Structures are given as C-alpha cells and as structure tokens.
Amino acid sequence: MSETFPSKAAEHARPTMIDVARRAGVGLGTVSRVVNGGHGVRDETAQRVRAAIDELGFQRNEVARALRPGKKSTSLALVLGDLTNPFYASIAKASLEVAGQSGYAVVLGSVDEDPEGEKRAIQELVSRQVAGLMIVPDQGDHAFLEGAGVPVVFVDRPATGIDADIVMVDNEGGGRIAAEHLLAQGHQRIAILLAPSYYTIGRRLRGFRRAHRAAGVDVDESLVVQLPEGTAEAAEKATREVMLRADAPTAIFASTNFLAEGVLRALGVLRSLGELSQEPAVVGFDDFRLADMLPTPVTVVASDIAELGRSAARLLLDRASGTDTRPPQRIVLPCALIERGSGERPPGSAGNRTAG
Amino acid sequence: MSETFPSKAAEHARPTMIDVARRAGVGLGTVSRVVNGGHGVRDETAQRVRAAIDELGFQRNEVARALRPGKKSTSLALVLGDLTNPFYASIAKASLEVAGQSGYAVVLGSVDEDPEGEKRAIQELVSRQVAGLMIVPDQGDHAFLEGAGVPVVFVDRPATGIDADIVMVDNEGGGRIAAEHLLAQGHQRIAILLAPSYYTIGRRLRGFRRAHRAAGVDVDESLVVQLPEGTAEAAEKATREVMLRADAPTAIFASTNFLAEGVLRALGVLRSLGELSQEPAVVGFDDFRLADMLPTPVTVVASDIAELGRSAARLLLDRASGTDTRPPQRIVLPCALIERGSGERPPGSAGNRTAG
DNA sequence: CTGTTAGCGCATTCAG
DNA sequence: CTGAATGCGCTAACAG
C-alpha cells in the first residue's frame, strides 16, 4: 500500500470496479452484484457501494462487459446507403428509437457506393461484436453472412444468398395501385421510370404490368424506361426525352421519391419553354416532404417507413436475445395511395406547346 | 475468393487468435504480429499464419482489442436530435464518411426529446468506450463532460459549462445577410420567426438586429416572434396571425428550414382564402430540398452543412489520436445568400394573386 | 451474504 | 525472429 490513491488513475482514467471496491471496502464481486441489480447483497453494504460509485463517478465499462462469452454486446448495427435520402433517414431514426428503448446503441457502418464497400462495412461491424445487423442490402451476394454467427434482418429488400428475416413494403401492390389509379382515369400510355434494378423496383414494375393486364391495356415497352442511375437528374433527362416524343405518354409513374422530383423538374422546364404538348399525370412512389406544396401537389403511393425501421429493430432485438427462434420471417407493410392532384389529371390535359 | 465465414465453422463461436495460432502451429504473439502489420515476422511464418486466418475466417475482435489500455476504441459517437431533419442527416452522413475513411465506426445514441435524455445517451456512449464524441448539444449544462476523459467536439452550436472544440456556421453573419438583403429592397417591416432559443437562433437574431441598426431601421419588436416549438406547424400558426394584422410585415425571415416551410404553408392557405392583403418577401435559413421548385422558389441563407460534419469528424479524429493538442478550436463556416425569388419581392407586392 | 479466482480475446512485455 | 506470460474491466462460479 505504497500509494493511497492510484496516482496515474487520477484524471484521465475512468474508475473501475476495483477502485469502487477499494473505496467501499468490499470485494470486487459485491460491486458487480450491486451494479447489476444488487440482488443478494445486504442493504447496508449496497448503500456503501452505491455511495462509492457516486463519489468516484464510476460507470460500468460496456466493452469489458461484452467481452464475456455469452454476454452479447448491447449494440446493433445499421448498414444503409445514403442517410441524405429521407427514406433511409426515417428508417435510421425509427430503428434507433426502438433500439434505444431497450438500451441498445446503434452503430452505423460507413457505406461507400461500391459493391465491395458494403461487405467491408458489414465485416467491420461484425468484428465490433454487434449483437445483430440491420441491413438495407445492396445487390451483391450476401451468402458471406451465413456463418457470421449474428442475427441479420434485411430492411426494404431481401438479399440473395441467405435466408434471413426481411421487413419491407408491398412493392408489387404499390406498383399495382399506382397503375390502377392512372388506368382508372383513362390513361392508356403510362411511362414508368425505373431506378437501377434493385429488387424493389422490379416488384413495382411487376405490379404495374399486372394492373395493365387486368385492365386489358398493353404496356408500351418503349415507355418502360430503365435509368442508369437512381437520381433526380437521370429522371429529369429521361422525362424530357420521353415527353418530347410524338407519342408522349399521358401519365408517368416515378418509381422512387428522387425520380419523382426529377420528373417534376423536367416538366417544369418543358413547361417554361412552352414545349409541353400535354400535361401528364404523375404518381410517385414513397412520400416526400413538401410534396403537397409543389405547384401541382404530388400524388404518391406511400407506406409507413418509420414502421419499417421499428419492425426491423424489434425483430432483431428478439432474435439477438434469443426470444424469437422462429424460422426467418417476412414482414410486408401495405402501401396506400395519397391523392394530391398530379395523379388525377385526365389524359389529354392541355399543355402549352406552341402549335407546329 | 475465400469465404469469410466458412459455413461449417461453429455457428456460435467465431475463431480467435488462439485458434489461428494452433492451426498455423505458431504462438499467439506471432499471430498478433501478423494481424497487426506483420512486422518482425519471417515471411514464411507469416504466410502460414495468413493461410490459417483465411481458412478459419478469422477476424480480429475489436472489442477485446479496445480493452487494452492505451488502445482507444475505433468508434466515435454522434449525438443529435432528429435524423429526420435533413440538416442533421447531412451532418451524420458527412461525419460518417470521414470517420469511415479512417476505419472508425460511428455510434448513434438514441436521443429523446427531454433534456435528461441527452445526458443519459452521452453517458451510455461514454460507457461504450468510444474514442470521441460529436455532439449537437441541447440546451442543458454539459459540464458533466469535463471529466469524461474523452475528446468532445460540439457541432452546430456550443454547449455551456465546458470549453471544447466547436464547429458551426456563421449564424450572426447569416442573419445579417438575410436582413440586409430584405432591407436593401426597401423592406422596413420585417418579421423574424424564432425557434425556441437555441444558441444559433439568438445569433441569427443578433445579425438581424445589427443589419437593421446599420441601415437605420428600427426593429418592430412585435414582429420578433418567439415560437413555442421549432416546427412547421408553429411557424404556420404564427405567420397566419402576423399576416392578418393591420400592420402586417412586408417580409418574413424564417430562422430555420422547418419554419420556412410553415411560413410558406400559411401564406398558401391565406392566399387561397383571399385573405392575403399583400405578398410578403420570404427568406429562410438553411437550404432545403425542393426549395427551388415551390410555386415561388425560396430564397435562403445557406451554408455547407456537409462540411460541418466533415470538419467535426476530422477534428475529433485528430483529438482522439492525440495528433491535435491545441487548445479548443472554434471553426466557423460562412453563410451565403441563394436568391430564388421569394426573397426578392419588393414591399407592397399585391396579395391574392395567382403566382405567375 | 460476501470475498476470491479464473478467464473472455488481444497486445505487449520478456525470455529464449 | 518467436513463444510464453501478463493483464485490460468485468462476470460467473466457487468458496468461506
């Protein structure tokens, strides 16, 4: 006992349980017991320990705690693309809330655009011993997750190469609803803009086609526009091109929120140039802020994105705790149409292109 | 290509360095050396070790690694309010990118609305041994962070009770620019809508006042509207009230992106009701998506939000690594006006007229 | 009830 | 150059 106080542990080192134990004049185990609920400790002793904890400002080291085998860490990982997309931001926020309520933190892996980036990020996260992974998967194969020993929940779209829980929206139904809505108003030539072929987009297209078939209307394949990128810019360009055709569509279905923005941007430009021969109806997929405040409020097929995040987190938490041992689940959230105006324009709405 | 997680490996136990060592027929230390750069290991031995690592799909346990004294963990914490606000989402994304490039993960603490929630979240994060904290602070006292033993960088606004690095925008300058712009066009009665008194809002107001003083125009205190909440709804209500006054302002400065939305919403309603005696000029603070596509494109004072996040992460990384030992820094990013139309309306613009 | 002990997976001494 | 030994802070199992 050369030193009463551990000299080095003065300012920059956080106190440990041993410090607390010494301070309270008890053993290490007792401190641990008090910290973890205090069962089986005499009240008086517990008081002393708690006092020492307070005085020292002790805080349990979660990292060391998680090192014990069996004891899973209390953090989940969330892997997604662009937080700047309100769609992903909603998922992040919602899952964060649910996780937080159960005392879990959420680690966000940095995800580059490249396909390998996601894999690297995921492995990074796994090496951090997270208790589970929520992944909005990119297109690559995710078989490498099979033996990861960590529960995985995919969000928004399934991944190939692995059978895991998946929480998503009814993309096909949404695509169908959008097309049905337009067809019901007499539109026969409906363009559909597709972001690079993610799973979701394929399903939306399928619903789109199905509605056409049910209505006995043929889909003009030249109006099924596959974009090189899922950006507003790409959609803007494509819209300009398609609307300048002699046989321009009377309606446009934009398969994502960003694409809808691009469509509207293009229409605005054409309109201002007096080159819009007719005003097409527009329906977007996924709601977005200010959609109702644009010159023509935008009709969209929407779903409860926050619920997507919440469900994913809840499911993952149950898997991580071992509470839920069912086979992989498949949760599908419904879509609904929100009519605002842009999607209710009848075919042949007057444009402003000067004759000739 | 080797599988990272061999499917036949035990589901529940990830291989450890000891497994690798046994497999390669070497000692634990050797494996460690190979994993960490492989200096001072004979090439042949290193090969054997690497082979074993591949075969076993070994991945270093970051948690255990971080347990060693001195060795800080490789994760940063980010504490902020509402990821659903594009402003915060941008910060998150940008800081995430920078951190990721240095091999750091970012942990998001769940932050409730209540003031105590933030403190709890921060302590949670600290107990997880993060190497540093990025905090968009709430109003409470943050003195409790003094002895946390972790570097802290505040983002967007400083915190009271602690002197730490801070990265923010030039709020006062922004407020000044907005007011100057409106005053230059002859506006004399400019309303300013204020979200609950965060630091930033106070500075924006100060700049607003300063511009008035410089222009020799008195600020009508009844037009300085302190809102109970920072929501679009609150701004909408306040705008409705102020615009229905006999002495309605000829211009409105909305001090946040959400408030600008509320202002526009209110004006839209009043307009449609034929109750807008005159069309006020509107300037917002912080740019937002679709601002340029609204019926009247919105003029805003904007700054590089992503750079806010990047700077914060860079600074924190340098602090965490000990590279940067300067006294607390104060990084201030400039604001600039983006003229789009709503802010260029002269005083006395006729109301109740459909936008052309 | 309470103190002591043995690791968790890894980096780092210290010997050889 | 390499293997063995020592904790990091904590929990769980085992004595007293």
Side-chain angles (χ1 to χ4, degrees), chain A residues 14 74 128 144 265 292, chain B residues 5 74 128 148 265 289 292:
Chain A
R14 279 190 279 278
T74 56
R128 290 182 142 77
F144 68 93
R265 226 171 258 283
D292 61 327
Chain B
F5 303 110
T74 56
R128 289 182 144 77
R265 227 171 257 283
R289 192 151 199 134
D292 60 327

Side-chain angles (χ1 to χ4, degrees), chain A residues 14 59 61-63 67 74 82 93 106 108 123 127-129 144 148-149 261 265 289 292-293 295, chain B residues 4-5 11 14 59 62-63 67 74 82 93 106 108 123 127-128 148 261 265 289 292-293 295:
Chain A
R14 279 190 279 278
Q59 252 186 298
N61 182 331
E62 285 296 330
V63 172
L67 191 57
T74 56
D82 180 9
K93 182 190 180 186
V106 173
L108 255 54
Q123 293 179 330
S127 78
R128 290 182 142 77
Q129 314 299 109
F144 68 93
E261 180 185 329
R265 226 171 258 283
R289 192 148 200 138
D292 61 327
M293 292 189 63
Chain B
T4 307
F5 303 110
E11 286 281 345
R14 276 192 280 277
Q59 250 187 298
E62 285 297 330
V63 172
L67 192 56
T74 56
D82 181 8
K93 182 191 179 186
V106 173
L108 255 55
Q123 292 179 330
S127 78
R128 289 182 144 77
E261 179 184 329
R265 227 171 257 283
R289 192 151 199 134
D292 60 327
M293 293 190 62

Side-chain angles (χ1 to χ4, degrees), chain A:
Chain A
M1 54 182 290
S2 50
E3 304 176 38
T4 311
F5 300 115
S7 57
K8 294 167 188 170
E11 287 287 359
H12 285 293
R14 279 190 279 278
T16 86
M17 276 194 181
I18 297 188
D19 297 327
V20 175
R22 272 204 278 264
R23 174 84 158 175
V26 300
L28 174 57
T30 303
V31 176
S32 176
R33 275 182 283 253
V34 171
V35 169
N36 299 308
H39 285 312
V41 178
R42 195 168 31 144
D43 220 50
E44 186 192 289
T45 314
Q47 288 298 333
R48 255 206 343 270
V49 172
R50 263 189 283 272
I53 287 177
D54 265 22
E55 289 163 32
L56 261 40
F58 167 80
Q59 252 186 298
R60 178 174 58 190
N61 182 331
E62 285 296 330
V63 172
R65 173 183 167 81
L67 191 57
R68 305 307 318 295
K71 273 290 172 191
K72 299 274 185 188
S73 82
T74 56
S75 46
L76 303 181
L78 175 59
V79 181
L80 40 60
D82 180 9
L83 265 183
T84 277
N85 185 334
F87 177 85
Y88 296 129
S90 289
I91 292 177
K93 182 190 180 186
S95 58
L96 196 62
E97 278 177 5
V98 172
Q101 281 163 12
S102 295
Y104 278 70
V106 173
V107 188
L108 255 54
S110 105
V111 181
D112 307 83
E113 301 306 317
D114 63 292
E116 280 306 295
E118 189 196 280
K119 182 171 177 184
R120 219 177 23 245
I122 290 176
Q123 293 179 330
E124 259 284 313
L125 261 9
V126 170
S127 78
R128 290 182 142 77
Q129 314 299 109
V130 295
L133 294 160
M134 290 180 282
I135 304 178
V136 181
D138 207 343
Q139 296 181 80
D141 185 53
H142 286 71
F144 68 93
L145 278 167
E146 268 301 0
V150 193
V152 176
V153 173
F154 289 105
V155 186
D156 187 46
R157 44 190 185 247
T160 58
I162 175 173
D163 187 29
D165 291 317
I166 159 77
V167 183
M168 58 187 180
V169 304
D170 180 10
N171 291 290
E172 183 173 334
R176 187 173 42 68
I177 289 171
E180 278 172 356
H181 184 64
L182 293 168
L183 288 165
Q185 294 168 71
H187 289 282
Q188 304 263 101
R189 295 182 54 68
I190 309 174
I192 178 170
L193 265 44
L194 305 167
S197 63
Y198 293 123
Y199 169 89
T200 54
I201 304 299
R203 307 296 291 205
R204 290 169 199 177
L205 174 58
R206 179 188 293 197
F208 179 86
R209 287 190 190 285
R210 211 161 267 208
H212 275 74
R213 200 167 325 139
V217 176
D218 280 339
V219 172
D220 179 344
E221 294 303 326
S222 76
L223 294 181
V224 176
V225 185
Q226 185 60 248
L227 302 176
E229 283 184 306
T231 63
E233 290 66 34
E236 185 175 348
K237 179 155 174 280
T239 301
R240 204 163 35 219
E241 288 171 4
V242 82
M243 288 309 296
L244 287 177
R245 284 168 42 172
D247 57 346
T250 66
I252 303 177
F253 174 37
S255 65
T256 76
N257 53 0
F258 282 178
L259 298 193
E261 180 185 329
V263 169
L264 298 170
R265 226 171 258 283
L267 294 181
V269 171
L270 291 175
R271 202 177 293 125
S272 72
L273 292 176
E275 294 186 8
L276 205 55
S277 58
Q278 47 117 4
E279 197 71 58
V282 176
V283 174
F285 201 108
D286 284 332
D287 202 5
F288 53 95
R289 192 148 200 138
L290 299 180
D292 61 327
M293 292 189 63
L294 294 178
T296 298
V298 186
T299 294
V300 297
V301 172
S303 47
D304 190 347
I305 307 304
E307 183 56 26
L308 210 57
R310 270 182 243 116
S311 298
R314 272 195 292 262
L315 189 48
L316 187 55
L317 249 15
D318 286 346
R319 294 295 194 188
S321 69
T323 305
D324 190 341
T325 56
R326 297 174 297 174
Q329 297 294 299
R330 184 187 183 77
I331 298 179
V332 179
L333 272 39
C335 289
L337 190 76
I338 301 179
E339 302 185 22
R340 294 214 180 93
S342 74
E344 289 68 49
R345 270 192 287 247
S349 297
N352 61 5
R353 178 189 267 170
T354 51

Side-chain angles (χ1 to χ4, degrees), chain B residues 318-331:
Chain B
D318 287 346
R319 293 296 193 187
S321 69
T323 304
D324 190 341
T325 56
R326 297 173 298 174
Q329 297 294 300
R330 184 187 183 78
I331 298 178

